[in-house]
Amino acid sequence: KHENFLANVHPEDLPRLEEAITIAIAEKLKNTAVEFRLRHKDGTYRWIMAQGSVYTDDDGNPIRLLGTHVDVTQSKEIQNREFRYALEKERLRLLTDFIQDAAHEFRTPLSTINSNVYLLRLSDDKQYRNGKANQIDNQVVRIQRLVDMLLMMARLESGYGLTFAPVDMHSILIALCDNMRVQYQDRPTLTLDLPNSMP
């Protein structure tokens, strides 16, 4: 009978149930409880809350395991619905935060580009103009990276896997420092010291 019972336990729950039974017998537990799925006579699986106690003989040897099975499928489905609702609510919150952060991240390089374009129009100094053009290039790279992040989010939402690739640390650090200089107007002064070759 014990084997027939175990044959109807859901395969994913069987190891956990067998472990709970083994521990209950070894430790002679009273009123121990475990949840698992059990195949119903109609072929579907039902969630069961099993509670039982180990009974011993006069010498303390386990001789019987008695308990009750209660069908808790309905309450389990309610819990699962509540969990899925909470999960979806959290997902929407994270997505909203991400969109707000992305919007802010887009504004910063665009502001840098606008400022540098304005200054380019005012200057005839070729070296100065080249410097500003380089800053614009770096901010364009940053925007491209943000777009790539948004596309990655879209792929994750649709179930596609991640693709890992090397990134240009040199460009990222230059763009970061340029962004900080624009944001804080060199107060305090920020110095960037990069080696010739970055990984």
Side-chain angles (χ1 to χ4, degrees), residues 13-97:
D13 300 336
L14 185 57
R16 180 166 46 85
L17 177 61
E18 288 181 320
E19 182 183 12
I21 293 172
T22 300
I23 291 173
I25 293 172
E27 300 182 8
K28 303 165 190 175
L29 298 178
K30 301 291 184 183
N31 299 319
T32 186
V34 61
E35 284 187 356
F36 58 92
R37 286 164 288 181
L38 188 65
R39 186 165 45 231
H40 191 267
K41 61 183 178 181
D42 65 6
T44 63
Y45 281 98
R46 310 284 294 178
W47 276 100
I48 301 298
M49 167 63 77
Q51 291 180 297
S53 297
V54 175
Y55 293 87
T56 60
D57 59 19
D58 293 338
D59 296 325
N61 299 313
I63 57 172
R64 187 176 291 113
L65 177 61
L66 295 178
T68 60
H69 284 180
V70 179
D71 188 335
V72 292
T73 304
Q74 188 174 10
S75 62
K76 199 76 174 179
E77 288 174 350
I78 292 172
Q79 288 177 8
N80 287 338
R81 281 198 298 270
E82 290 174 347
F83 174 75
R84 287 194 298 270
Y85 172 75
L87 197 63
E88 180 65 15
K89 187 176 179 181
E90 180 65 10
R91 188 188 71 83
L92 290 174
R93 185 190 69 78
L94 290 173
L95 185 59
T96 299
D97 289 348

Side-chain angles (χ1 to χ4, degrees), residues 118-133:
Y118 172 76
L119 293 172
L120 280 173
R121 290 186 179 131
L122 298 179
S123 175
D124 293 327
D125 185 331
K126 184 176 180 180
Q127 184 176 356
Y128 178 82
R129 291 171 66 90
N130 286 338
K132 291 300 178 185

